[in-house]
Amino acid sequence: MRHLTVPTRGPALPLAVVGSLAVALSTAPPAHADAPRPHSATKTAPHPSALPRAAAVVATAQESGEIRHTVVPGDTVSGIASQFGVRTEDVLALNGLSWESVIHPGQELVVRAADATSAPAPTPAASHTVVAGDTISGIAGRHGVSTESVLSANGLTWSSIIYPGQTLALPLAATPAAATSSPAPAASVSVPLDDEQSAHARHIIAVGRELGVPDRGIAIALGAAMQESWIRNLDWGDRDSLGLFQQRPSTGWGTEEKLRTPDHAIRAFFGGPLDPNGSMTRGLLDIPGWEQMSFADAAQAVQISAYPDRYGDWEHAAYEWLAALG
């Protein structure tokens, strides 16, 4: 495994409480630098007995037409905005908040001003019972709602694990806005990917889906690839390291030709019963208890890097890429 100096991550990541954005492409790849690292959002997955809270919309409609929401545990600004059919930017502006702001249970937020003309808020109504193979993003996509709104409605985070038999509350998809509503501007993720990086990220996600890897495992693969190669199919590296994950022919990961073939490199990283290397190497699915490990520890268990903590720097961005591309 090659040990790269951590690449520049671009602008500081917004805290997870504000929510994730859709992907925008950038033509400039990350550069080698020892710049300040983005905030790490490593979280501990909930125990199966920790059932999600029911979706809560705690709002007061004032006589003037103003709508307020009282923050409850698990709320995010983007989740609240999605529940009421308004833009996150508008909620931030109405309450004097920024993308870096943290909200607290019991805090009252103005969701819609008295003269707002945006579409009526969707109300939590439907539910979904989790079955084997389900992912939060997949459930959200099937029901026409955002992943962020499902997370918010159930008090979950990007690191949460769902279980068969668990019931998730689903907010209704927002109805089309009235003609007087302002369209939401195109947004970007905190760490943009260019065309090459996006193509490799989609390949990682597709293989993960094919193998039945949960969202958390796919995000770990994305973060590991960014740390190791900037999600680029490199033909060079530390000692004989090559490819997306900087795997080494000399340690059994495959020939130089195979390691420069993204599909082989990705499947070897995930490992499991369909590992192209058989038992020669150990992928993520071969690590006992990887689901309960921190983001960085799970990646390190596969990569064995001299800088194990640096994988955690990409956790939040990895979930953003997964939501935007997967």
Side-chain angles (χ1 to χ4, degrees), residues 177-259:
T180 54
S181 300
S182 300
S188 63
V189 296
S190 51
V191 182
L193 302 178
D194 62 22
D195 288 345
E196 178 188 353
Q197 292 170 309
S198 295
H200 290 314
R202 287 190 178 95
H203 197 165
I204 291 170
I205 294 168
V207 172
R209 296 272 187 254
E210 176 191 331
L211 297 177
V213 180
D215 279 5
R216 180 170 177 76
I218 297 174
I220 290 168
L222 291 170
M226 175 56 86
Q227 174 60 31
E228 294 290 352
S229 69
W230 306 282
I231 319 184
R232 300 185 187 282
N233 189 20
L234 300 182
D235 60 0
W236 57 272
D238 178 52
R239 289 170 284 189
D240 58 340
S241 300
L242 296 167
L244 289 173
F245 295 96
Q246 291 293 281
Q247 295 150 332
R248 300 178 58 192
S250 62
T251 56
W253 286 89
T255 64
E256 291 185 11
E257 181 181 1
K258 286 183 177 179
L259 295 184

Side-chain angles (χ1 to χ4, degrees), residues 211 266-276 278 281-286:
L211 297 177
I266 295 166
R267 292 177 186 277
F269 177 87
F270 284 126
L274 299 179
D275 191 331
T281 55
R282 189 173 72 158
L284 182 66
L285 300 179
D286 303 313

Side-chain angles (χ1 to χ4, degrees), residues 74-161:
D75 269 348
T76 64
V77 177
S78 61
I80 294 169
S82 176
Q83 289 175 5
F84 287 90
V86 297
R87 298 188 308 167
T88 302
E89 294 88 338
D90 293 338
V91 177
L92 293 172
L94 284 170
N95 294 276
L97 302 175
S98 72
W99 289 102
E100 300 283 335
S101 298
V102 177
I103 58 176
H104 307 278
Q107 181 177 351
E108 192 172 63
L109 300 179
V110 177
V111 177
R112 187 179 292 124
D115 59 350
T117 56
S118 55
T123 55
S127 64
H128 175 91
T129 301
V130 178
V131 297
D134 267 349
T135 64
I136 296 176
S137 60
I139 294 168
R142 289 199 298 274
H143 291 274
V145 296
S146 69
T147 303
E148 292 88 345
S149 67
V150 176
L151 293 172
S152 178
N154 293 277
L156 303 175
T157 71
W158 288 103
S159 299
S160 296
I161 297 173

